[in-house]
Structure formats: structure tokens, C-alpha cells
Amino acid sequence: MAALRYAGLDDTDSEDELPLGWEQRTTKDGWVYYANHTEEKTQWEHPKTGKRKRIAGDLPYGWEQETDENGQVYFVDHINKRTTYLDPRLAFTVDDNPTKPTTRQRYDGSTTAMEILQGRDLTGKVVIVTGANSGIGFETAKSFALHGAHVILACRNLTRANEAVSRILGEWHKAKVEAMTLDLAQLRSVQHFAQAFKAKNVSLHVLVCNAAAFALPWTLTKDGLETTFQVNHLGHFHLVQLLQDVLCRSAPARVVVVSSESHRFTDINDSSGNLDFSRLSPSKNDYWAMLAYNRSKLCNILFSNELHRRLSPRGVTSNAVHPGNMMYSSIHRNWWVYTLLFTLARPFTKSMKEDMNVRPSRAGILSVLLTAAFSESGTVPCT
Ligand SMILES: NC(=O)c1ccc[n+]([C@@H]2O[C@H](COP(=O)([O-])OP(=O)(O)OC[C@H]3O[C@@H](n4cnc5c(N)ncnc54)[C@H](OP(=O)(O)O)[C@@H]3O)[C@@H](O)[C@H]2O)c1
């Protein structure tokens, strides 16, 4: 405070104010240290904030730095003909803490979506979220929209998509949200979606490949492929392929592929280590729903990694993320056994419904998604 008064500034209750008995001093080479007159000790760290500081800038006009017979630095003000041990620049120090790199994790499982996007103005950003009418996709779309982004909810059922749009508008009537039809189980629908999106002539800054099918009985799509594989992986693969030019034109842009931890529990290679295509889209006899899901999620990660390798030099990053385990979305709806399991696990996992209706999202999930969508580093590992 003495330094502030000295510099002609008012006292404040700033965190930098020294406790009684402490004094700030400087070394010859501009480092700030703190002397405690009661305990007769000195230290580099500010006694309250723990920060290290150094002097910034030159001495004011007419001032000179000298050293007394004890080696202590003092300052001579030639204009007003006085000396002082206080560096006149002490009021303008800057933090310097090179010994403490910032290893603190910025986000964790209890970070809210709002915390992640706090201070972000996403106006002008265009975001597509697939499967955005429910669960994680809805939360993601909503969070982007409430921060000003133009969000397109890419869903297979337009009625459900429009209901989701209304829910977001109910939270903020100025949100820029719209629904478009995208059925990932039909390559033709993916192509129509891409054409319709391109006709809007807008950029694309974030593409979240979120939609998924889980625990389906064996069925083939109109394109003749096993449905889980096509919806979860191939449909998204095709979508990114078709929108790749827009993404590159909009760089910096990002693709986020929502995968799952369960990708670990499978393999898509045969016994000699080669890719086994029959495992990707198996016949009815070789089909087990859980395995099909796990394989599609493994494809998500392999695809995301390769996409990142190919497009990051052009300013488009890709991240695959695991959102969390057994969150009570509607993902379990295809088999009552899963519904039962998800219901039992519900008290111990994140609840989408609570997140949406009651309080800001406890969104480890969203933290991962949004960190992936906005992190500068480019890769959020799916491990
Ligand atoms: N919940 C979890 O515990 C968990 C764990 C790990 C990973 N994940 C991943 O998180 C992502 C989101 O899942 P969620 O939990 O939010 O499940 P969800 O509530 O069931 O959401 C899935 C979304 O995908 C859409 N979808 C399904 N088939 C589609 C198709 N053919 N074309 C377009 N959209 C389609 C669904 O639309 P409809 O409403 O029309 O069916 C729905 O909007 C998925 O990728 C999932 O694998 C979830």
C-alpha cells in the first residue's frame, strides 16, 4: 500500500495489500521480495497471494537506482531531491511465477456447461449437432445456442427436433436454433442434409457427431448395412466427407465425435491382425447388439483420429470423446434390461433430465464435449 500511496494512487482493499509488519522490496535485477520486520525474514512469494512478482518498465524520469554499503538497492529522486528504499515502480509490478507451471486441470466431471462456456460469445459461429432432440445432443445444442451460436439440430424426426427447438427458445427466445432432417440410417438422407445445409451458404465451425443407436435388434438399413454400424459410424463418416469443404473454408473449425469407453471391449481385426469387414456389418447369425455398438464406437475413434491427422493442417481439428458412463438419456430404450440397469445406476450417474430442467448441467459430459469443441490443443483423448 505504501507503494500505491507513493505512486499517488488511493488505498484499496486489493488482495495485494500486505499484512501488518511486511514490506515490499526489489532486487537490483527487478525481482520483488517481501520482508517481515516482526520475524526478521524475507521471501519471494507475496505473503497473501503466494505470487512472485517483478518490476515492469523503466524508472520514472529523474529517478536513479543506487546500492548502499550493505548491498541494498535504493532510489534517488533527483527532481525532488530525496531518496527511498521503495522502488517507485512497485505499484506496477507484474506476476511472474515461472517455477509453477499451470498444471491445474481446467475442467472436471463436476464442471457445469455454463462454467465451460462462461464468457464465451459464440455469435457468428455455426454448429451442427446430430441427434440433438434428446439426451447429450440436446444439452450440447442448448449450451451452444444459449451462448449465441447458430445451432442446427440434425435429427431424423422433425417433430421431435422442432419440440427440442421450442424447448431451447423457451429458455432464450433470441436463440438462433433450427431443426433439419438427417437420418443417418440412410445415406441418401445424409446427402440431402448436406445439400440443404450447403444451400444456406453459411460457415460451419463445429460439427458434433453425437447421434447413436444402442441395443438394437439386428436389422439392415435401406443401404443394406447393419443399422448400428451405419447410424453410429458410417452415416457420420459420410456426413463429414460431404461437409469437409465447408469445414475447411470455415477454419478454424472442429469436429467432435461422441464415442464411448466401451470401444475398449472389442476388436475389428481378424486373427491375423487385418481389418475384418464382416465384423463391421455382421450377418444376423454373428450379431450381438452390445458388440455392434462397441465396434461402432471403436470406428468413431479411429475415424476421428485419422480425420484429425488429415484435416488439422488445414485448420480443422477432430476429437473423439467419452461422455461418461450410463447416463440416463434415452439410449437404453431399445431393451428393457438396459432400461432396468440404467435406472438402477441412475442415482450414481449424471441425469440428463435434471441437467435440462432443474439446474445447470453437472456436465462432465458437456465439459468434455465443449472442451473438445473449444480447446486450443485439438485433441481430447478418449481414454
Ligand atoms: N448415455 C450414456 O451413458 C452414454 C455413454 C457413452 C456414450 N454415449 C454416447 O453419447 C451419444 C448420445 O447418446 P445419448 O445418451 O444422449 O442417447 P439418446 O438420448 O438416445 O440420443 C441419441 C440421439 O441419436 C438419435 N438417432 C438415433 N438414430 C438416428 C438416426 N438414424 N439418424 C439420426 N439420429 C438418430 C436419436 O434420435 P431419436 O430420438 O429420433 O431416436 C437421439 O436424438 C451417443 O453417441 C452415445 O453412444 C452415451
Side-chain angles (χ1 to χ4, degrees), residues 130-137 154-157 160 182-186 209-213 227 231-232 258-261 293 297 300 321-333 342 352 365:
T130 69
N133 57 287
S134 70
I136 292 160
C155 307
R156 64 174 160 172
N157 182 308
R160 284 199 287 268
L182 169 70
D183 184 352
L184 291 157
Q186 296 183 43
C209 298
N210 161 79
T227 306
V231 171
N232 298 7
V258 185
S259 179
S260 169
E261 180 77 29
Y293 177 78
K297 293 288 137 182
N300 283 163
V321 298
H322 164 62
N325 288 318
M326 294 187 81
M327 283 164 309
Y328 200 86
S329 58
S330 28
I331 198 151
H332 52 80
R333 65 183 176 279
F342 274 70
M352 288 295 121
I365 165 153

Side-chain angles (χ1 to χ4, degrees), residues 270-331:
D270 61 23
S271 51
S272 30
N274 298 318
L275 179 62
D276 181 352
F277 285 101
S278 68
R279 294 189 190 204
L280 298 180
S281 177
S283 65
K284 191 170 183 178
N285 290 341
D286 295 328
Y287 181 76
W288 180 34
M290 191 69 215
L291 205 53
Y293 177 78
N294 294 354
R295 284 177 178 156
S296 71
K297 293 288 137 182
L298 178 56
C299 291
N300 283 163
I301 294 175
L302 297 173
F303 166 56
S304 174
N305 287 352
E306 181 58 18
L307 188 70
H308 185 78
R309 196 183 68 76
R310 290 186 191 201
L311 292 195
S312 53
R314 299 171 69 186
V316 181
T317 57
S318 180
N319 301 278
V321 298
H322 164 62
N325 288 318
M326 294 187 81
M327 283 164 309
Y328 200 86
S329 58
S330 28
I331 198 151

